[in-house]
Amino acid sequence: MGALIEDAVIDNETMVERFLRMDRLPHIWCPGCGIGTALRSTIEALADMDIPQEEFAVVSGIGCTARVAGYLKLDSFHTTHGRSIPFATGLKLANPKLKVFVFSGDGDLFAIGGNHFIHAARRNMDLKVICVNNFIYGMTGGQVGCTTPTHSKTSTSPYGNYEPPFNLCFLAAAAGAVYVARWTTFHVRQIKRSVQEAFAKRGFTFIEIISPCPTVFGSRNGFPTGLDMMKYFKANSLTVAGADPRDVEIEMGGKLKVGKFVDNERPSFQDRLSEMWGDLGLEESRIVEAE
Ligand code: SF4
């Protein structure tokens, strides 16, 4: 038993060292932040897939979550605010063999980057988008954002937000994503499975990971530690596989609907391009070994 535990610890260290730039640690995230948990589940998913590590490329924008690209030991690109999806689109079109994924936050992807998101989904661009949603602009001081739940307090809505938030899963599904799932950082195994399912599909996929931000969201809304919010996720999450995405809006105090909501097929941007113009070399591997 002792040997088994020892092996597991060594495997764990090997996996982490394989996927993280250890020289960049310690990371910048606050104690209790959920971004590390979301990253850990994603790394586990990547490590267990039969895809060579050099075929992955990750793109992020700006914000606390966007720091992930700097820590991952992959071809990684930390781009400008809101522009992770157009950058990832260019990367995928230039080198179609790459498994390109975007790992960024709700403000980056859906506020300044919102238009890029809906058009990539409409085109069914072959990108895997993982969005950590902590309901707020964390890095810049806790301002209200497009995902802040109604009535929640932020630094710019101290008496409570009076706007309705985006339902990100509905937005993704309505714009054309072929795979849509939502989990919280409490659902580590489900995140891993969803990431693997997303990579197995062609086209635009979206995974929302609801995550604690104790520093600027939780502290104003009754969740002063990351653990408080994890307990809230555990007590209030309701798995509703296949639910209509329009019915999974988020309201603090109500049930938090999680699960896989969309899993369908339609031609990707690359499929349509090939249909019109032939192969154009899009399927040829252009991965060049670094010298
Ligand atoms: Fe995480 Fe919030 Fe701290 Fe940013 S501000 S690192 S989201 S806890």
Side-chain angles (χ1 to χ4, degrees), residues 173-189:
V178 292
Y179 183 98
V180 178
R182 172 196 289 153
W183 302 107
T184 75
T185 47
F186 180 73
H187 299 90
V188 289
R189 289 199 189 91

Side-chain angles (χ1 to χ4, degrees), residues 148 227 238:
T148 305
L227 186 59
L238 178 67

Side-chain angles (χ1 to χ4, degrees), residues 117-138:
F117 182 93
I118 59 174
H119 290 291
R122 172 182 63 79
R123 294 183 179 115
N124 202 17
M125 190 57 63
D126 193 8
L127 298 177
K128 318 298 155 203
V129 178
I130 300 169
C131 173
V132 173
N133 180 4
N134 49 32
F135 302 144
I136 204 159
Y137 286 103

